[in-house]
Amino acid sequence: MQTAANLMPIPGHVDPVPVPRAAPVRDDGLIDLVGLTREQIRAALEQGGLEPKQAKLRAKQLWHWIYHRGATDFATMTDIAKTQHPWLAARFVVARPEVVTAQVSTDGTRKWLLRSTDGHDFEMVFIPDADRGTLCVSSQVGCTLNCRFCFTGTMKLVRNLTPGEIVGQVMLARDSLGEWPSQPEGRMLTNIVMMGMGEPLYNFDAVRDALKIVMDGDGLGLSRRRITLSTSGVVPMIARAGAEIGVNLAVSLHAVTKEVRDEIVPLNRKYGIDELLAACAAYPGANNARRITFEYVMLKGKNDSDADARELVRLINHYKLPAKVNLIPFNPWPGADYECSTPERIRSFSSIVFAAGISAPVRTPRGRDIMAACGQLKSTAEKKSRAELDRLAAGIVG
Ligand code: SAH
Ligand code: SF4
């Protein structure tokens, strides 16, 4: 059920302030254990009435069953006394986001439209390759930042996802790939990118807590080297991301002049290119083995000249950045103001960067036919949510 408290209006183009709020309460009143830390599980068990010592042991067991084995039914947790199963089931649940639709692209890319318990829709995408499988995870419903070339940025409704909803995406992907229990070798889901809907650094705590679970050795067990967080440039949070999360960093640079970046990534009016690159240079662990990825969307006649490429090289050298550049052909969406650069232009841009000794591969668009490519995510239920909002405003539903 939606309430005014869990709907957040767009606070403005330049300085969005996401409103923190408690995790949505389930209609059935049960507490979802997914997304809780060991400590939070222990506390929830104690609150339910378990002795402290038992709560600690059970928390450890539950953690293993939930995150290592992928169990969702307490009855299957064989090292927990049978008599305790109904006690657990009466208070707790191990849930997954609801799947509204699942689509498969002609190139094998899969996209899921998911729904939170309070009725908000968000998307996740799985991109299989010969040697890896990458899950593109959302951090918010919509995005407050309104980058001009991004479909997600046009969504009116925004809410931060909870740690459970973020880690729940990874668990759902594991379910559908049949990859339980967690194994170090031979899995299809090998990499995670925080590149779905939303700006992860505007939902810092939840993203951090979720990724800690994903990286936990007795949890989902993915190495931090296989996880990449992409930000449009929330400068004050970059150092914290390095210190508290420590995954690979990708930065959506997209332009090399103030004029163009101000236009296409409005956050640039608050945190400019120089400030952003200085923060990148200070990112811990940034060295040649773990380079920072600079994403650069190729927009025809906007940011794709040879002069732009040379300026990009100059900036990277000036800040002594261990960098690679990811050139992303613009993925179109209905009503977009831009067009994709021509293949020749992209080649020319790429070769200038390459010639300077910086890797600059062109990212092959994946899943365009099902609107699953970079920047094409926008949940179809947005309209419904607006209508619900209007009904709410008119006092028709409570
Ligand atoms: N909000 C974060 C992460 C999500 S977007 C960020 O902006 O970094 C993942 C990447 O896709 C970003 O580099 C984003 O700028 C890019 N992107 C957005 N819209 C796009 C589009 N229509 N075509 C190609 N890339 C796009
Ligand atoms: Fe938000 Fe990233 Fe899209 Fe910009 S590109 S609107 S930050 S999701």
Side-chain angles (χ1 to χ4, degrees):
M1 178 69 60
Q2 291 185 344
T3 64
N6 56 33
L7 298 170
M8 190 177 76
I10 296 175
H13 276 247
V14 180
D15 194 10
V17 184
V19 180
R21 67 178 74 74
V25 177
R26 293 171 56 93
D27 284 344
D28 58 15
L30 299 175
I31 297 172
D32 187 1
L33 294 177
V34 175
L36 301 189
T37 61
R38 281 189 185 80
E39 178 50 31
Q40 286 167 332
I41 296 177
R42 190 200 55 73
L45 293 172
E46 254 194 71
Q47 229 168 22
L50 285 196
E51 295 294 312
K53 239 178 142 178
Q54 234 208 44
K56 197 169 169 203
L57 171 69
R58 292 284 179 253
K60 192 163 178 280
Q61 291 167 316
L62 283 165
W63 179 276
H64 182 81
W65 282 106
I66 295 170
Y67 296 120
H68 184 77
R69 306 276 200 124
T72 52
D73 183 354
F74 296 113
T76 64
M77 302 182 180
T78 46
D79 58 358
I80 297 178
K82 260 202 184 123
T83 50
Q84 210 160 63
H85 295 165
W87 183 88
L88 286 166
R91 289 162 181 80
F92 304 106
V93 64
V94 182
R96 299 286 190 261
E98 178 195 340
V99 177
V100 182
T101 54
Q103 287 171 280
V104 185
S105 155
T106 49
D107 69 16
T109 301
R110 305 190 201 182
K111 180 172 92 169
W112 289 263
L113 176 65
L114 307 175
R115 183 163 296 164
S116 66
T117 51
D118 59 346
H120 293 296
D121 290 10
F122 52 103
E123 293 178 318
M124 75 170 187
V125 176
F126 180 69
I127 307 142
D129 275 303
D131 57 341
R132 61 162 76 182
T134 305
L135 187 70
C136 181
V137 171
S138 290
S139 57
Q140 298 181 310
V141 176
C143 184
T144 51
L145 291 178
N146 310 101
C147 299
R148 287 269 302 267
F149 50 84
C150 175
F151 205 21
T152 307
T154 68
M155 285 180 67
K156 302 230 166 28
L157 208 61
V158 181
R159 139 146 129 55
N160 278 338
L161 293 178
T162 63
E165 288 159 351
I166 296 168
V167 78
Q169 295 172 60
V170 183
M171 301 181 74
L172 198 64
R174 279 267 178 90
D175 290 350
S176 84
L177 296 168
E179 300 209 313
W180 298 110
S182 303
Q183 290 161 3
E185 300 293 330
R187 32 186 196 206
M188 279 168 74
L189 200 180
T190 57
N191 291 60
I192 288 182
V193 292
M194 295 302 302
M195 295 188 186
M197 295 168 116
E199 167 50 56
L201 295 189
Y202 272 126
N203 186 14
F204 187 86
D205 291 358
V207 167
R208 176 200 54 209
D209 294 352
L211 290 181
K212 286 229 149 99
I213 295 172
V214 171
M215 294 186 282
D216 190 288
D218 189 34
L220 298 166
L222 256 107
S223 148
R224 67 183 56 217
R225 289 171 196 284
R226 292 188 170 275
I227 302 174
T228 301
L229 185 151
S230 176
T231 178
S232 54
V234 187
V235 169
M237 302 307 280
I238 289 179
R240 272 190 76 193
E244 296 177 38
I245 311 176
V247 297
N248 301 318
L249 184 66
V251 172
S252 297
L253 191 61
H254 302 319
V256 291
T257 64
K258 174 166 169 53
E259 191 201 349
V260 176
R261 198 163 191 269
D262 275 358
E263 174 191 326
I264 66 178
V265 183
L267 185 67
N268 194 65
R269 297 175 208 162
K270 187 161 176 63
Y271 307 115
I273 294 175
D274 287 292
E275 232 180 307
L276 174 58
L277 296 181
C280 291
Y283 189 74
N287 54 42
N288 276 327
R290 276 187 89 200
R291 288 171 294 172
I292 293 176
T293 303
F294 289 95
E295 294 158 289
Y296 200 98
V297 63
M298 299 301 295
L299 303 173
K300 191 183 208 165
K302 181 53 69 180
N303 64 355
D304 62 352
S305 71
D306 287 352
D308 289 322
R310 285 192 288 270
E311 177 60 7
L312 178 59
V313 169
R314 190 193 69 77
L315 284 169
I316 289 172
N317 289 337
H318 178 76
Y319 285 94
K320 299 189 175 59
L321 289 162
K324 55 186 169 187
V325 173
N326 221 326
L327 299 176
I328 316 177
F330 171 66
N331 292 308
W333 40 271
D337 291 336
Y338 303 102
E339 277 178 72
C340 185
S341 310
T342 62
E344 302 78 58
R345 193 84 298 282
I346 298 178
R347 263 200 299 280
S348 173
F349 193 106
S350 169
S351 57
I352 290 171
V353 181
F354 258 120
I358 301 162
S359 140
V362 181
R363 194 187 284 175
T364 318
R366 297 289 302 269
R368 267 187 180 174
D369 55 335
I370 55 167
M371 291 289 282
C374 300
Q376 291 188 316
L377 302 184
K378 174 174 175 171
S379 63
T380 45
E382 187 198 354
K383 277 203 185 79
K384 186 171 148 255
S385 299
R386 291 302 310 181
E388 277 169 12
L389 236 189
D390 293 342
R391 282 202 302 277
L392 255 179
I396 299 169
V397 286

